[in-house]
Amino acid sequence: MTARKTWQDYGREWLDTLVVAISVAMAFRAYFYEPFKIPTGSMQETLWGYHTDSTAEKGAWDVFPLSVLKWAVTGSRTVDWTAPVSGQVRCIPRQDGFATVKVGTSDETWSLPTDACRALHGKYVRAGETLWKGAITTGDFIFVNRWKWNFVQPKDDEVMIFSTTGIRDLPQGTHYIKRMKARPGETYALEHPVPGRPSVVTMGADEYFACGDNFNNSFDSRYWGTVPRGNLRGCASFVFWPFTGWRIIK
């Protein structure tokens, strides 16, 4: 006669299943496709970081709970913020593509993509006046192909993700995404050279040159040098969210 299962037995089975599922997911992420978020606009218009549209107005889809569904599908939300006190606006940049916004002596804060802060910083507003309104759209979420470069060599113009560890003048322990412009041994005549810096560069062994597609808003190899082969994480594969922006990355 088969013993009757207890709640503890069912609990152990579910726990075993959960552990296996997590292990498979972690292995998939480590060796095949890893999710990556685009925080800034350095790769626009190939890939979009957090960005804003100050002309957008609130509509029926911007009222809860429809606003949650809208954000889940499009990654966009429309806001209309008013100043709690009179005072000067301060925008404090962060490392995630946002700036923390404060007004005068108020402790209240807002998070706003840096592209919207250029005209806002230093502005004087009165209590109750519109501080900022418009649509804030989340940056693209992509999958990084971790296995491809184990079998074939990277190619020029591929979108590359790399670790900043050990690269001088970059924040350590994070990752950047840029387009590969030159590989080991290649000479590259820069399309958008930086004044006072070389306009033609030659790659050494295991060196890669990385530039953002948005040259006017990209801190890339033109400023800080090359990317070592050991820092390459993988190539960008496709955008998986927002759902309205699904596409293969080229």
Side-chain angles (χ1 to χ4, degrees), residues 123-137:
K123 180 181 178 181
Y124 184 86
V125 293
R126 298 185 179 279
E129 181 182 347
T130 296
L131 176 62
W132 191 86
K133 68 176 183 177
I136 301 175
T137 303

Side-chain angles (χ1 to χ4, degrees), residues 53-87:
D53 177 8
S54 60
T55 66
E57 299 284 347
K58 280 191 172 183
W61 282 91
D62 297 300
V63 178
F64 183 84
L66 293 179
S67 59
V68 177
L69 179 59
K70 174 186 174 182
W71 178 86
V73 174
T74 68
S76 181
R77 59 191 178 98
T78 305
V79 301
D80 190 346
W81 294 326
T82 57
V85 298
S86 298

Side-chain angles (χ1 to χ4, degrees), residues 46-47 236-239 245-250:
T46 303
L47 294 168
S237 180
F238 61 93
V239 177
W246 278 350
R247 62 192 182 277
I248 301 296
I249 299 169
K250 299 179 180 179

Side-chain angles (χ1 to χ4, degrees), residues 187-243:
T187 296
Y188 171 52
L190 275 65
E191 300 149 82
H192 300 271
V194 175
R197 299 186 183 259
S199 59
V200 179
V201 293
T202 299
M203 299 297 96
D206 295 328
E207 289 185 341
Y208 297 82
F209 203 83
C211 289
D213 286 356
N214 185 3
F215 282 96
N216 292 326
N217 187 32
S218 176
F219 186 54
D220 50 39
S221 287
R222 296 173 298 165
Y223 297 91
W224 41 257
T226 59
V227 179
R229 178 69 174 87
N231 286 57
L232 298 186
R233 189 82 175 179
C235 60
S237 180
F238 61 93
V239 177
F240 68 87
W241 192 76
F243 298 136

Side-chain angles (χ1 to χ4, degrees), residues 92-115:
I92 306 167
R94 306 193 316 228
Q95 295 294 324
D96 59 355
F98 276 80
T100 298
V101 180
K102 294 184 176 183
V103 178
T105 58
S106 174
D107 292 330
E108 190 171 354
T109 62
W110 300 264
S111 293
L112 193 61
T114 53
D115 69 334

